[in-house]
Amino acid sequence: MKDRMETPFANEPMTSFASEDNHAAFVDALALVRSELGKEYPLHIAGLAVHTSDQLISINPAKTDEIVGKVSKASRKLAEQAMNAALTAFESWKNTSVWERASCLMKAAALMRERKHYFSAWLVIESGKNWTEADADTAEAIDFMDYYAREMVKLAETNEHKPLVKLPGEDNRLSYIPLGVGIVIPPWNFPLAICAGMASASIVAGNTIILKPASTTPIIAYKFYELMVESGMPADVMQYLPGSGAEIGDYLTSHPKTRFVSFTGSKEIGLRINRLAAEQAPGQIWMKRVVAEMGGKDGIVVDETANIDAAADAIVASAFGFQGQKCSAGSRAIVVADVYDELLEKVKERTSRLMMGSPEDNAAVGPVIDQSSFDKIMKAIEIGKSEARLLIGGNKGLEGGYFIEPTVFADAGPDDYLMQEEIFGPVLAIAKAESWQEAISMYNHTEFGLTGAYFSSDEERIQMALRDMHCGNLYINRKCTGALVGVHPFGGFNMSGTDSKAGGHDYMLLFTQAKLTSRRV
């Protein structure tokens, strides 16, 4: 394992399903997962399975009459037991060598790489991703574990890599030590990648965690927990604790022994967590750290010098990949007037070619995640019809699942609901700008600041866009989705969160605290 860690990090390659062998292997993986549907899954507290009569029912979003599995649901009493177990485990785990902790992650990455299609098949069935989106999710999970293992080793050896200024007569060292018990709350839209990333960074730093997965995708998180234990992580280092946010989420966030909360999800829940964590509970002796990624209202700006075909491709891919259910999804396009009509037609034509169907058949357009999301998106579409011009879509999709047609609105105004609210579904709003300067100004006219893209062939304008477009991840002449670990550290400004830069060099600092030791020699 040490030999592998000393080789340069490289991103996990995407699978080509044009290969007959890969295609057949994925079909086999789907069949294997199908054979496991309907099982019951326990909580895991102190390394022990805990079954409850109260359960979360995981539903296939493409076939709403199909139960994926039943997962035990934690109460507040069980949450307290999980906290006590995590506190006990921390006392030994914090003293486990960095190399041993990193080796657990490297082994988990290797095992997931061997079983890549199995994990991806779970994503297809439980979260509604098509094969390509699921494969990318699994690859990112592998990358996170591999990358954070290496980064923590580098951080532990910081005196060798970044020595302090020498002072004669003293031996001064800076070490990065763990924080304590963290609450990890991953989202449903990347239920493997972001879950693995948030959890593995916390664990490899020497913390213990309570993992509260999203209620719609708890089984994928369970499979990740099993993998980590198989990889050598003591079973009590991670408490697997599905449950209600109102019942156990708030309780754990407010708990005096919680040291940090790592959260990815909506702005509303992120702000609530931040508020609860800011209050000192009786017996609490530290300020809790909150690491939050809270979504976006991302956009692509196109000026009249751009390659219009490339821009149209990027707009459609960014808006409708995984049905627009990405915090990085390009739900706005702001286009300079000279090329506005031409681009509208190209976006409409490309959107019309997107075929809707079952994720298991690798359809380009699948379902949204659940009834609540379906209702919210359809409501947004109705609001859009009163604000802007419906260009294509706007209707419910296939029966039997939470399907919605890819929907494009033209002539949206900068203050419209469509341009300001994170809809988190297959809805794109396109606005016209009189100039590229106005287009950038319209892009910035939002409370979010996660991803953006600018299409132009004018270098002077590109430099202005790089300076003035206010977001955490800005891309030039490419789509605004698809960040790669180690390549595109990911996190946003304003109401998009704490700009944590997941998958970057700084990320591990969020789960550690720096301790300076000085010794007279």
Side-chain angles (χ1 to χ4, degrees):
M1 199 65 69
K2 186 173 182 179
D3 290 343
R4 175 167 175 77
M5 204 171 293
E6 290 174 348
T7 62
F9 170 79
N11 295 106
E12 178 70 14
M14 301 298 125
T15 302
S16 171
F17 293 110
S19 159
E20 290 185 7
D21 288 344
N22 290 339
H23 189 281
F26 203 84
V27 170
D28 289 343
L30 285 168
L32 176 58
V33 169
R34 283 218 144 270
S35 73
E36 298 178 14
L37 296 185
K39 290 184 177 180
E40 296 190 357
Y41 299 85
L43 311 173
H44 277 272
I45 299 173
L48 302 175
V50 178
H51 295 269
T52 65
S53 57
D54 195 10
Q55 294 179 317
L56 294 170
I57 308 300
S58 176
I59 300 296
N60 182 343
K63 300 177 181 178
T64 56
D65 60 349
E66 181 173 73
I67 294 176
V68 178
K70 300 177 181 180
V71 181
S72 289
K73 187 177 179 182
S75 63
R76 191 165 292 188
K77 179 180 179 181
L78 289 171
E80 181 65 23
Q81 291 179 20
M83 174 57 74
N84 290 330
L87 288 165
T88 299
F90 177 65
E91 292 306 310
S92 57
W93 185 243
K94 69 181 181 181
N95 294 321
T96 301
S97 74
V98 169
W99 273 102
E100 188 173 338
R101 299 194 307 249
S103 293
C104 290
L105 262 61
M106 296 293 283
K107 184 175 180 182
L111 288 173
M112 189 177 288
R113 192 175 289 113
E114 292 173 5
R115 306 168 193 169
K116 190 175 180 181
H117 294 334
Y118 177 75
F119 280 93
S120 296
W122 274 108
L123 288 161
V124 168
I125 292 174
E126 190 174 33
S127 71
K129 296 197 171 194
N130 65 20
W131 298 14
T132 303
E133 294 284 351
D135 183 71
D137 195 321
T138 304
E140 187 175 21
I142 294 167
D143 284 349
F144 274 135
M145 292 186 286
D146 196 338
Y147 184 81
Y148 292 148
R150 297 163 187 269
E151 289 300 303
M152 191 61 218
V153 169
K154 290 179 185 177
L155 201 60
E157 298 172 348
T158 188
N159 277 293
E160 286 73 27
H161 291 279
K162 296 180 181 178
L164 299 173
V165 175
K166 297 295 183 183
L167 183 66
E170 286 187 3
D171 179 17
N172 295 304
R173 295 179 177 271
L174 192 67
S175 57
Y176 291 86
I177 65 174
L179 297 170
V181 176
I183 315 304
V184 174
I185 308 174
W188 53 261
N189 64 329
F190 284 87
L192 183 57
I194 297 181
C195 175
M198 295 162 71
S200 62
S202 303
I203 289 166
V204 77
N207 305 295
T208 56
I209 65 170
I210 299 173
L211 175 64
K212 182 194 168 304
S215 296
T216 46
T217 53
I219 297 173
I220 293 165
Y222 186 88
K223 296 295 179 180
F224 169 70
Y225 170 80
E226 285 187 317
L227 182 80
M228 290 301 298
V229 174
E230 182 182 353
S231 301
M233 179 196 77
D236 58 353
V237 165
M238 184 191 305
Q239 319 297 318
Y240 172 76
L241 204 75
S244 161
E247 182 171 6
I248 68 167
D250 289 357
Y251 178 75
L252 291 169
T253 298
S254 302
H255 200 287
K257 296 300 184 182
T258 293
R259 185 62 181 82
F260 67 92
V261 181
S262 182
F263 167 80
T264 299
S266 71
K267 179 193 80 171
E268 292 75 18
I269 300 301
L271 290 175
R272 178 175 179 80
I273 287 171
N274 195 53
R275 184 172 67 252
L276 291 173
E279 293 291 330
Q280 183 184 11
Q284 180 180 322
I285 62 172
W286 46 60
M287 293 177 67
K288 292 172 185 171
R289 189 173 295 180
V290 174
V291 181
E293 199 273 277
M294 305 189 318
K297 190 63 183 174
D298 312 301
I300 295 178
V301 174
V302 184
D303 75 18
E304 72 277 13
T305 74
N307 180 324
I308 304 304
D309 285 309
D313 289 341
I315 288 168
V316 172
S318 299
F320 301 125
F322 188 39
Q323 296 72 260
Q325 298 176 119
K326 300 179 183 180
C327 50
S328 60
S331 60
R332 299 182 297 154
I334 304 161
V335 185
V336 171
D338 288 353
V339 292
Y340 182 77
D341 291 336
E342 179 186 0
L343 188 62
L344 280 185
E345 287 306 309
K346 290 181 181 293
V347 168
K348 180 180 179 180
E349 188 274 332
R350 285 160 172 75
T351 303
S352 71
R353 295 204 308 256
L354 297 175
M355 299 303 295
M356 181 181 292
S358 170
E360 292 180 62
D361 296 329
N362 201 24
V365 180
V368 298
I369 190 64
D370 62 8
Q371 187 67 54
S372 176
S373 291
F374 180 90
D375 292 342
K376 178 186 176 184
I377 296 163
M378 291 306 299
K379 181 180 178 181
I381 289 172
E382 290 307 307
I383 293 172
K385 289 176 181 177
S386 68
E387 292 181 332
R389 173 165 59 95
L390 180 64
L391 194 66
I392 188 171
N395 301 305
K396 298 177 182 179
L398 301 173
E399 295 295 326
Y402 302 119
F403 291 93
I404 298 174
E405 291 179 345
T407 300
V408 181
F409 287 96
D411 307 338
D415 294 313
D416 286 353
Y417 182 94
L418 292 172
M419 294 287 284
Q420 293 295 324
E421 296 297 322
E422 186 180 37
I423 297 168
F424 224 66
V427 181
L428 168 67
I430 305 180
K432 182 190 296 184
E434 292 306 315
S435 67
W436 64 273
Q437 296 97 328
E438 183 186 37
I440 290 176
S441 178
M442 290 171 67
Y443 169 84
N444 287 334
H445 183 58
T446 169
E447 66 178 351
F448 296 102
L450 185 51
T451 74
Y454 184 67
F455 275 79
S456 177
S457 62
D458 186 307
E459 186 57 35
E460 184 176 349
R461 295 182 184 185
I462 289 171
Q463 290 303 315
M464 295 291 284
L466 288 170
R467 185 191 72 184
D468 294 339
M469 289 178 71
H470 192 65
C471 58
N473 287 59
L474 178 60
Y475 305 100
I476 304 299
N477 293 326
R478 55 147 286 184
K479 65 179 183 173
C480 63
T481 58
L484 290 174
V485 172
V487 180
H488 312 109
F490 189 81
F493 304 156
N494 300 348
M495 285 299 169
S496 288
T498 57
D499 195 29
S500 56
K501 286 297 182 278
H505 293 299
D506 301 331
Y507 193 69
M508 291 309 307
L509 296 175
L510 301 173
F511 302 94
T512 61
Q513 50 195 344
K515 182 176 182 179
L516 183 281
T517 56
S518 182
R519 181 174 180 174
R520 185 64 59 86
V521 294

